[in-house]
């Protein structure tokens, strides 16, 4: 989902149309508070990106970006700044702090949408990585030990000997690991964690 945060309706409408021409779902917000209220809940697990106007009444785009960074959402929710009043130091500072890109108005429509597509892909990748880390966090300490040895290519007998447990216990831990990590084979598991 492309989130368009701009106080000008004509800008929101034209960017929504532009996104639709590329098959990208978009939602417009007339002000930052509407957008922040939406972001208080869950956002799309399939990737999100924000086109954020720098100059808006009440809460400006930089302040919104600061809140996203503070919530740890900068990678999961890439921000592309749009401005008619930007300056080089502002752009450099935003990029150093994790903004995905910075476009000055007027901008090239195709260049902007190319960057939006890359930002959406980056968001999906960050979401997938976060999901893998969440699944890893569900493993017990012993399951993590078994996992490390599985990833090292050790057979169940070697894992059992190394950890001082029975082969049957290794098999149970292995089954729990595969179940929690949502894989069926050690090869899948290795591919997921590479």
């Amino acid at each position: 989902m492309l989130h368009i945060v701009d106080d000008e309706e004509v800008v929101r409408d034209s960017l929504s149309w532009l996104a639709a021409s590329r098959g990208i779902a978009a939602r417009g917000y007339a002000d930052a508070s509407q957008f922040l209220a939406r972001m208080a809940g869950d956002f799309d697990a399939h990737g999100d990106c924000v086109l954020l106007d720098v100059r808006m009444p009440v809460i400006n785009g930089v302040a919104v970006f600061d809140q996203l960074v503070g919530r740890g959402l900068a990678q999961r929710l890439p921000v592309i700044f749009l401005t008619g009043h930007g300056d080089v130091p502002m752009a450099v500072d935003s990029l150093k702090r994790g903004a995905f890109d910075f476009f000055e108005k007027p901008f090239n429509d195709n260049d902007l949408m190319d960057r939006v597509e890359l930002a959406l892909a980056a968001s999906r990748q960050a979401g997938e990585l976060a999901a893998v880390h969440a699944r890893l966090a569900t493993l017990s300490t012993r399951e993590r030990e078994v996992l490390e040895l599985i990833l090292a290519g050790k057979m169940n007998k070697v894992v059992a000997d190394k950890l001082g447990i029975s082969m049957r216990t290794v098999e149970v831990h292995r089954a729990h690991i595969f179940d929690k990590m949502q894989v069926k084979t050690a090869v899948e598991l290795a591919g997921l964690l590479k």
Side-chain angles (χ1 to χ4, degrees):
M1 170 74 63
L2 174 61
H3 303 276
I4 303 164
V5 187
D6 196 302
D7 58 326
E8 294 182 55
E9 184 175 4
V10 67
V11 172
R12 291 192 311 273
D13 289 347
S14 66
L15 289 170
S16 292
W17 178 85
L18 190 59
S21 74
R22 294 269 188 122
I24 299 169
R27 178 178 290 144
Y29 305 86
D31 61 58
S33 60
Q34 286 180 358
F35 170 70
L36 291 171
R38 166 75 173 106
M39 287 303 105
D42 290 332
F43 44 91
D44 191 350
H46 303 293
D48 285 272
C49 172
V50 182
L51 289 179
L52 185 57
D53 189 20
V54 171
R55 286 198 180 179
M56 291 183 290
V58 186
I59 304 173
N60 69 35
V62 175
V64 172
F65 180 65
D66 289 343
Q67 288 191 39
L68 295 176
V69 169
R71 293 181 190 177
L73 296 176
Q75 282 190 317
R76 180 63 184 90
L77 191 58
V79 171
I80 298 174
F81 280 107
L82 301 175
T83 185
H85 310 284
D87 58 22
V88 172
M90 179 194 303
V92 169
D93 181 58
S94 299
L95 294 170
K96 280 183 179 178
R97 293 185 314 116
F100 195 81
D101 213 331
F102 198 99
F103 278 79
E104 274 194 278
K105 297 175 186 175
F107 46 79
N108 178 291
D109 293 350
N110 284 324
D111 290 345
L112 177 62
M113 284 299 111
D114 288 347
R115 291 300 288 166
V116 165
E117 288 177 338
L118 288 172
L120 288 168
S123 175
R124 282 189 291 276
Q125 186 177 20
E128 291 165 4
L129 187 59
V132 168
H133 285 292
R135 284 181 261 164
L136 276 171
T138 67
L139 299 179
S140 69
T141 303
R142 180 60 85 180
E143 287 168 345
R144 283 183 176 269
E145 292 171 343
V146 172
L147 171 68
E148 292 298 321
L149 294 169
I150 291 171
L151 292 176
K154 305 296 183 197
M155 301 301 284
N156 287 352
K157 181 175 180 8
V158 175
V159 173
D161 290 344
K162 185 141 182 105
L163 297 177
I165 56 178
S166 72
M167 271 191 42
R168 176 67 187 135
T169 302
V170 171
E171 291 167 1
V172 169
H173 285 311
R174 186 181 188 105
H176 287 162
I177 292 165
F178 285 13
D179 185 48
K180 289 178 180 180
M181 296 305 295
Q182 300 173 5
V183 297
K184 295 191 183 339
T185 66
V187 172
E188 262 186 275
L189 182 62
L192 185 66
L193 298 176
K194 65 178 176 180

